[in-house]
Amino acid sequence: MPESSHLDRDFFDRPTVQVARELLGMRLVRLEGDRRISGVIVEAEAYRGQEDQGCHARAGLTPRTRVMFGPPGHAYVYFTYGMHWMLNFVTERQGYPAAVLMRAVQPLDGLDIIAARRVGQPRPRWTDGPAKLCQAFGIDGSLNGLDLCSPGSPLFVELGDPIPDSGVTIGPRVGLNNVPEPWKSIPWRFLVSDYLHPQDSG
DNA sequence: AGCACGATTAACT
DNA sequence: GTTAATCGTGCTC
């Protein structure tokens, strides 16, 4: 098996919407000590440029958005609602702020650890939200700025089975209620149709 | 210094 | 369907 199943920096150094689409089917991997937690990426969203009013980078270069302005292939992890962490992958060239939000994965490895961190929740609810998967995978602000493409990184993305267009649902990004058009409705959300959430009834 | 709000979640009516 | 939890960030004064 080629060790090079890690997605490299060139994968992330491309148009953000295309990266978000192609991340479906890839595997998110988290190493903690000798334990491996992984899952298939089934939902992702693109956030791109200062003009995107749904993107944190609309505020320009600040301490918070610094990582998004940096080189591709790094983790942008931020804190919101006073209790939740969110994981993004930085995309496109250094100096251009863009990233892909990880919204859901299907658990593969480390199920015992995931279950312990999502205690009280049924399996379908383990990692079906951006904050849920961060809790399950032990991802917090200490990983902000981490290089996913450097050898030995405790967080990275592995090549998986690509999802054909026929299996992908595309729609507006979630949770941008207060964002002006066209950014509120621009179809930059990608998800594997088989894993549609209940509220997506379609 | 103060304020409104957030790329959410879980529990509740 | 509604709402509390809980605090960093960016904006206004």
Side-chain angles (χ1 to χ4, degrees), chain A residues 7-150:
Chain A
L7 299 189
D8 63 16
R9 206 172 311 285
D10 289 341
F11 178 89
F12 298 98
D13 189 11
R14 297 183 299 149
T16 306
V17 176
Q18 184 180 354
V19 174
R21 161 64 181 87
E22 294 184 13
L23 276 168
L24 297 182
M26 304 298 110
R27 289 192 297 268
L28 175 67
V29 181
R30 172 84 167 109
L31 303 180
E32 296 183 89
D34 60 346
R35 298 303 311 273
R36 172 189 165 107
I37 305 172
S38 76
V40 178
I41 297 168
V42 295
E43 182 177 357
E45 288 176 353
Y47 291 84
R48 184 177 191 275
Q50 286 190 244
E51 66 277 10
D52 174 3
Q53 292 302 295
C55 181
H56 290 162
R58 66 184 179 277
L61 179 55
T62 68
R64 184 199 207 191
T65 62
R66 173 182 54 82
V67 176
M68 261 203 293
F69 280 82
H74 289 246
Y76 167 45
V77 183
Y78 72 90
F79 185 68
T80 191
Y81 290 104
M83 65 188 88
H84 299 307
W85 294 101
M86 308 275 175
L87 171 65
N88 302 255
F89 303 144
V90 176
T91 56
E92 309 205 35
R93 66 167 170 69
Q94 177 160 4
Y96 187 87
V100 174
L101 171 70
M102 291 294 97
R103 284 197 63 89
V105 303
Q106 184 194 28
L108 273 185
D109 299 316
L111 302 184
D112 57 329
I113 300 176
I114 292 174
R117 289 178 171 158
R118 298 287 297 144
V119 63
Q121 298 298 324
R123 179 163 181 165
R125 297 284 93 77
W126 280 355
T127 53
D128 65 335
K132 298 179 192 180
L133 73 87
C134 283
Q135 184 189 351
F137 277 57
I139 292 165
D140 64 21
S142 68
L143 298 182
N144 190 37
L146 183 77
D147 184 358
L148 308 165
C149 305
S150 88

